[in-house]
mmCIF file of all heavy atoms in Angstrom:
data_model
loop_
_atom_site.group_PDB
_atom_site.id
_atom_site.type_symbol
_atom_site.label_atom_id
_atom_site.label_comp_id
_atom_site.label_asym_id
_atom_site.label_seq_id
_atom_site.Cartn_x
_atom_site.Cartn_y
_atom_site.Cartn_z
ATOM 1 N N ARG A 4 -142.617 -8.121 32.664
ATOM 2 C CA ARG A 4 -143.425 -8.933 31.784
ATOM 3 C C ARG A 4 -142.817 -8.933 30.384
ATOM 4 O O ARG A 4 -142.424 -7.874 29.885
ATOM 5 C CB ARG A 4 -144.869 -8.428 31.732
ATOM 6 C CG ARG A 4 -145.806 -9.321 30.943
ATOM 7 C CD ARG A 4 -147.271 -8.920 31.110
ATOM 8 N NE ARG A 4 -147.716 -9.049 32.500
ATOM 9 C CZ ARG A 4 -148.956 -8.901 32.902
ATOM 10 N NH1 ARG A 4 -149.921 -8.611 32.012
ATOM 11 N NH2 ARG A 4 -149.271 -9.027 34.185
ATOM 12 N N GLU A 5 -142.736 -10.097 29.759
ATOM 13 C CA GLU A 5 -142.075 -10.216 28.472
ATOM 14 C C GLU A 5 -142.975 -10.912 27.454
ATOM 15 O O GLU A 5 -143.799 -11.764 27.798
ATOM 16 C CB GLU A 5 -140.754 -10.981 28.592
ATOM 17 C CG GLU A 5 -140.893 -12.421 29.037
ATOM 18 C CD GLU A 5 -139.560 -13.150 29.109
ATOM 19 O OE1 GLU A 5 -138.521 -12.575 28.733
ATOM 20 O OE2 GLU A 5 -139.542 -14.316 29.570
ATOM 21 N N LEU A 6 -142.786 -10.544 26.212
ATOM 22 C CA LEU A 6 -143.508 -11.166 25.105
ATOM 23 C C LEU A 6 -142.996 -12.586 24.881
ATOM 24 O O LEU A 6 -141.791 -12.816 24.784
ATOM 25 C CB LEU A 6 -143.328 -10.344 23.839
ATOM 26 C CG LEU A 6 -143.905 -10.943 22.543
ATOM 27 C CD1 LEU A 6 -145.424 -10.924 22.566
ATOM 28 C CD2 LEU A 6 -143.380 -10.193 21.321
ATOM 29 N N VAL A 7 -143.906 -13.548 24.768
ATOM 30 C CA VAL A 7 -143.587 -14.906 24.374
ATOM 31 C C VAL A 7 -143.757 -15.076 22.868
ATOM 32 O O VAL A 7 -142.888 -15.601 22.176
ATOM 33 C CB VAL A 7 -144.443 -15.931 25.139
ATOM 34 C CG1 VAL A 7 -144.176 -17.349 24.643
ATOM 35 C CG2 VAL A 7 -144.191 -15.825 26.633
ATOM 36 N N GLY A 8 -144.901 -14.637 22.352
ATOM 37 C CA GLY A 8 -145.175 -14.705 20.930
ATOM 38 C C GLY A 8 -146.521 -14.108 20.601
ATOM 39 O O GLY A 8 -147.306 -13.774 21.494
ATOM 40 N N ALA A 9 -146.795 -13.967 19.311
ATOM 41 C CA ALA A 9 -148.041 -13.374 18.855
ATOM 42 C C ALA A 9 -148.509 -14.062 17.592
ATOM 43 O O ALA A 9 -147.709 -14.682 16.871
ATOM 44 C CB ALA A 9 -147.877 -11.871 18.618
ATOM 45 N N ILE A 10 -149.805 -13.940 17.319
ATOM 46 C CA ILE A 10 -150.396 -14.515 16.117
ATOM 47 C C ILE A 10 -151.351 -13.501 15.516
ATOM 48 O O ILE A 10 -152.155 -12.887 16.213
ATOM 49 C CB ILE A 10 -151.098 -15.862 16.410
ATOM 50 C CG1 ILE A 10 -151.605 -16.513 15.131
ATOM 51 C CG2 ILE A 10 -152.207 -15.692 17.443
ATOM 52 C CD1 ILE A 10 -151.999 -17.980 15.320
ATOM 53 N N SER A 11 -151.278 -13.307 14.208
ATOM 54 C CA SER A 11 -152.094 -12.324 13.526
ATOM 55 C C SER A 11 -153.445 -12.918 13.139
ATOM 56 O O SER A 11 -153.708 -14.118 13.314
ATOM 57 C CB SER A 11 -151.370 -11.818 12.271
ATOM 58 O OG SER A 11 -151.382 -12.808 11.261
ATOM 59 N N THR A 12 -154.317 -12.065 12.588
ATOM 60 C CA THR A 12 -155.626 -12.532 12.133
ATOM 61 C C THR A 12 -155.497 -13.570 11.025
ATOM 62 O O THR A 12 -156.375 -14.417 10.869
ATOM 63 C CB THR A 12 -156.477 -11.355 11.643
ATOM 64 O OG1 THR A 12 -155.784 -10.661 10.604
ATOM 65 C CG2 THR A 12 -156.793 -10.404 12.788
ATOM 66 N N SER A 13 -154.434 -13.513 10.246
ATOM 67 C CA SER A 13 -154.205 -14.466 9.162
ATOM 68 C C SER A 13 -153.547 -15.761 9.617
ATOM 69 O O SER A 13 -153.421 -16.691 8.823
ATOM 70 C CB SER A 13 -153.356 -13.828 8.066
ATOM 71 O OG SER A 13 -152.031 -13.628 8.504
ATOM 72 N N GLY A 14 -153.103 -15.819 10.880
ATOM 73 C CA GLY A 14 -152.414 -16.994 11.386
ATOM 74 C C GLY A 14 -150.904 -16.911 11.364
ATOM 75 O O GLY A 14 -150.238 -17.854 11.800
ATOM 76 N N ALA A 15 -150.343 -15.819 10.864
ATOM 77 C CA ALA A 15 -148.901 -15.636 10.901
ATOM 78 C C ALA A 15 -148.436 -15.440 12.340
ATOM 79 O O ALA A 15 -149.103 -14.778 13.130
ATOM 80 C CB ALA A 15 -148.495 -14.435 10.054
ATOM 81 N N THR A 16 -147.276 -16.022 12.696
ATOM 82 C CA THR A 16 -146.789 -15.986 14.069
ATOM 83 C C THR A 16 -145.366 -15.459 14.150
ATOM 84 O O THR A 16 -144.608 -15.507 13.187
ATOM 85 C CB THR A 16 -146.814 -17.382 14.708
ATOM 86 O OG1 THR A 16 -145.980 -18.270 13.954
ATOM 87 C CG2 THR A 16 -148.233 -17.926 14.754
ATOM 88 N N ASN A 17 -145.018 -14.936 15.322
ATOM 89 C CA ASN A 17 -143.647 -14.629 15.654
ATOM 90 C C ASN A 17 -143.436 -14.925 17.134
ATOM 91 O O ASN A 17 -144.316 -14.654 17.964
ATOM 92 C CB ASN A 17 -143.279 -13.177 15.332
ATOM 93 C CG ASN A 17 -144.040 -12.178 16.159
ATOM 94 O OD1 ASN A 17 -145.175 -11.820 15.851
ATOM 95 N ND2 ASN A 17 -143.414 -11.702 17.240
ATOM 96 N N ASN A 18 -142.278 -15.497 17.477
ATOM 97 C CA ASN A 18 -141.960 -15.874 18.845
ATOM 98 C C ASN A 18 -140.679 -15.216 19.303
ATOM 99 O O ASN A 18 -139.802 -14.899 18.491
ATOM 100 C CB ASN A 18 -141.803 -17.395 18.967
ATOM 101 C CG ASN A 18 -143.100 -18.143 18.782
ATOM 102 O OD1 ASN A 18 -144.178 -17.601 18.989
ATOM 103 N ND2 ASN A 18 -142.993 -19.417 18.407
ATOM 104 N N ALA A 19 -140.553 -15.041 20.617
ATOM 105 C CA ALA A 19 -139.320 -14.543 21.196
ATOM 106 C C ALA A 19 -138.193 -15.544 20.965
ATOM 107 O O ALA A 19 -138.424 -16.754 20.886
ATOM 108 C CB ALA A 19 -139.497 -14.283 22.688
ATOM 109 N N ASP A 20 -136.957 -15.040 20.866
ATOM 110 C CA ASP A 20 -135.813 -15.912 20.587
ATOM 111 C C ASP A 20 -135.649 -17.025 21.623
ATOM 112 O O ASP A 20 -135.254 -18.138 21.275
ATOM 113 C CB ASP A 20 -134.519 -15.087 20.521
ATOM 114 C CG ASP A 20 -134.445 -14.233 19.264
ATOM 115 O OD1 ASP A 20 -135.176 -14.491 18.299
ATOM 116 O OD2 ASP A 20 -133.621 -13.291 19.264
ATOM 117 N N CYS A 21 -135.957 -16.734 22.889
ATOM 118 C CA CYS A 21 -135.724 -17.707 23.943
ATOM 119 C C CYS A 21 -136.666 -18.908 23.890
ATOM 120 O O CYS A 21 -136.407 -19.925 24.542
ATOM 121 C CB CYS A 21 -135.816 -17.035 25.321
ATOM 122 S SG CYS A 21 -137.404 -16.256 25.661
ATOM 123 N N VAL A 22 -137.745 -18.829 23.097
ATOM 124 C CA VAL A 22 -138.680 -19.945 22.997
ATOM 125 C C VAL A 22 -138.801 -20.485 21.579
ATOM 126 O O VAL A 22 -139.524 -21.470 21.367
ATOM 127 C CB VAL A 22 -140.081 -19.572 23.524
ATOM 128 C CG1 VAL A 22 -139.996 -19.054 24.957
ATOM 129 C CG2 VAL A 22 -140.756 -18.547 22.617
ATOM 130 N N LYS A 23 -138.117 -19.894 20.621
ATOM 131 C CA LYS A 23 -138.186 -20.369 19.238
ATOM 132 C C LYS A 23 -137.733 -21.819 19.142
ATOM 133 O O LYS A 23 -136.723 -22.206 19.716
ATOM 134 C CB LYS A 23 -137.345 -19.490 18.318
ATOM 135 C CG LYS A 23 -138.012 -18.197 17.919
ATOM 136 C CD LYS A 23 -137.166 -17.393 16.942
ATOM 137 C CE LYS A 23 -137.894 -16.139 16.517
ATOM 138 N NZ LYS A 23 -137.073 -15.279 15.636
ATOM 139 N N GLY A 24 -138.500 -22.618 18.409
ATOM 140 C CA GLY A 24 -138.210 -24.028 18.284
ATOM 141 C C GLY A 24 -138.818 -24.879 19.374
ATOM 142 O O GLY A 24 -138.804 -26.104 19.274
ATOM 143 N N ARG A 25 -139.367 -24.258 20.417
ATOM 144 C CA ARG A 25 -139.970 -24.992 21.533
ATOM 145 C C ARG A 25 -141.459 -24.684 21.706
ATOM 146 O O ARG A 25 -142.228 -25.576 22.065
ATOM 147 C CB ARG A 25 -139.242 -24.683 22.845
ATOM 148 C CG ARG A 25 -137.769 -25.069 22.840
ATOM 149 C CD ARG A 25 -137.174 -24.969 24.241
ATOM 150 N NE ARG A 25 -137.217 -23.594 24.757
ATOM 151 C CZ ARG A 25 -137.832 -23.228 25.880
ATOM 152 N NH1 ARG A 25 -138.458 -24.136 26.615
ATOM 153 N NH2 ARG A 25 -137.795 -21.974 26.274
ATOM 154 N N PHE A 26 -141.862 -23.427 21.484
ATOM 155 C CA PHE A 26 -143.246 -23.008 21.689
ATOM 156 C C PHE A 26 -143.924 -22.731 20.357
ATOM 157 O O PHE A 26 -143.298 -22.247 19.408
ATOM 158 C CB PHE A 26 -143.301 -21.723 22.529
ATOM 159 C CG PHE A 26 -142.908 -21.871 23.981
ATOM 160 C CD1 PHE A 26 -142.306 -23.015 24.452
ATOM 161 C CD2 PHE A 26 -143.162 -20.832 24.851
ATOM 162 C CE1 PHE A 26 -141.939 -23.138 25.787
ATOM 163 C CE2 PHE A 26 -142.804 -20.946 26.194
ATOM 164 C CZ PHE A 26 -142.203 -22.089 26.657
ATOM 165 N N THR A 27 -145.223 -23.020 20.277
ATOM 166 C CA THR A 27 -146.029 -22.766 19.090
ATOM 167 C C THR A 27 -147.337 -22.113 19.485
ATOM 168 O O THR A 27 -147.996 -22.558 20.430
ATOM 169 C CB THR A 27 -146.322 -24.074 18.334
ATOM 170 O OG1 THR A 27 -145.101 -24.717 17.972
ATOM 171 C CG2 THR A 27 -147.139 -23.781 17.072
#
């Protein structure tokens, strides 16, 4: 199982490199 991305309580996000630019 792998991380796709996460979002904080403030709305800040980070995504895995393999989906950056494609997933939100």
Side-chain angles (χ1 to χ4, degrees):
R4 186 170 298 187
E5 64 179 355
L6 173 70
V7 176
I10 185 166
S11 73
T12 57
S13 70
T16 60
N17 65 277
N18 291 336
D20 288 342
C21 59
V22 304
K23 280 183 177 176
R25 299 190 297 121
F26 290 12
T27 302

